[in-house]
Amino acid sequence: EDQVTQSPEALRLQEGESSSLNCSYTVSGLRGLFWYRQDPGKGPEFLFTLYSAGEEKEKERLKATLTKKESFLHITAPKPEDSATYLCAFQGSGNTGKLIFGQGTTLQVKP
Amino acid sequence: GAVVSQHPSWVICKSGTSVKIECRSLDFQATTMFWYRQFPKQSLMLMATSNEGSKATYEQGVEKDKFLINHASLTLSTLTVTSAHPEDSSFYICSARGPFDNYEQYFGPGTRLTVT
């Protein structure tokens, strides 16, 4: 069964303290691994798409990487405004376009 | 680019009434739209997949007659919650996938539904 697991569920960091969020998946035929940021009461905001193992993408303090079994979202020198829930999702090989979401990691960055 | 809007952003209705939520892709044509619901501190749960001009495909456990989905054009999909009850209170979010090869979905800002 296709599934995705995120860890940790919650993460508290001091401003400037770098860390990584994990997204592990079991899926047959990965078409894409997606990272989203969600603020309370809002829809998810698209961050990255990764398509194949070894791929990396960066945006400001965020860097996403992908292996055959997991993806990491690295946060370098985070700021309080990076506090949010980070969701990963994958799309399998079917043509429906459905995304399977993990439960998310809620990040709190304290000043 | 790739902006998706939802209307209304929040709605309060009485038990037994129906509520319609609109989802629009503003700067691209959405070949497929998706409807999700999200309960507090939980992840997104896919309710249905909607393709323009055809019937929606509902996920297991989602009542078709209760959650009516219409995808009348390439930029508009609507979700109607019929005979709403307090347990239907939730955060409803739509997403749209464009005619791109990148499989990316772009999400609307969500609609908070409260049924009293």
Side-chain angles (χ1 to χ4, degrees):
Chain A
E1 181 184 350
D2 296 344
Q3 62 181 21
V4 57
T5 304
Q6 290 188 248
S7 62
E9 284 189 21
L11 181 62
R12 288 184 178 182
L13 299 174
Q14 288 295 130
E15 184 172 2
E17 180 186 1
S18 302
S19 188
S20 297
L21 313 182
N22 176 264
C23 171
S24 62
Y25 62 92
T26 53
V27 60
S28 53
L30 180 73
R31 282 198 171 183
L33 188 292
F34 306 87
W35 282 98
Y36 291 88
R37 168 192 171 130
Q38 187 176 26
D39 292 296
K42 296 187 178 180
E45 174 191 345
F46 172 78
L47 293 175
F48 303 108
T49 310
L50 302 167
Y51 295 102
S52 58
E55 190 174 1
E56 298 182 353
K57 289 190 177 175
E58 288 187 69
K59 179 181 179 181
E60 296 180 352
R61 294 178 293 281
L62 301 176
K63 179 181 177 180
T65 61
L66 181 66
T67 71
K68 288 186 178 181
K69 293 184 178 181
E70 57 193 349
S71 177
F72 292 94
L73 184 65
H74 307 279
I75 303 177
T76 303
K79 298 182 178 181
E81 53 262 41
D82 295 323
S83 298
T85 295
Y86 291 86
L87 299 166
C88 77
F90 70 79
Q91 182 181 340
S93 58
N95 288 325
T96 64
K98 288 168 52 173
L99 292 182
I100 307 298
F101 277 89
Q103 290 299 105
T105 294
T106 300
L107 172 66
Q108 183 181 23
V109 182
K110 293 188 173 183
Chain B
V3 178
V4 177
S5 70
Q6 277 184 247
H7 178 80
S9 55
W10 60 270
V11 57
I12 301 172
C13 71
K14 291 186 177 181
S15 187
T17 61
S18 295
V19 174
K20 180 184 284 188
I21 302 170
E22 291 187 350
C23 176
R24 293 182 185 272
S25 56
L26 298 185
D27 53 2
F28 66 100
Q29 292 186 328
T31 53
T32 307
M33 286 184 169
F34 304 85
W35 287 95
Y36 297 82
R37 66 188 298 182
Q38 187 176 35
F39 291 105
K41 298 191 177 182
Q42 293 189 23
S43 192
L44 281 73
M45 184 183 76
L46 180 65
M47 298 175 65
T49 301
S50 168
N51 291 294
E52 187 264 341
S54 61
K55 290 184 178 180
T57 301
Y58 291 81
E59 294 300 300
Q60 192 172 9
V62 177
E63 298 177 59
K64 301 178 183 181
D65 295 332
K66 182 166 190 62
F67 298 100
L68 301 179
I69 292 172
N70 184 280
H71 194 158
S73 75
L74 285 173
T75 59
L76 173 65
S77 176
T78 60
L79 168 68
T80 301
V81 183
T82 62
S83 187
H85 291 285
E87 57 266 30
D88 298 323
S89 298
S90 188
F91 192 51
Y92 292 86
I93 312 173
C94 73
S95 71
R97 176 182 166 187
F100 318 123
D101 293 333
N102 56 21
Y103 307 113
E104 291 171 2
Q105 289 184 28
Y106 301 93
F107 285 81
T111 297
R112 171 74 58 192
L113 170 63
T114 302
V115 185
T116 61

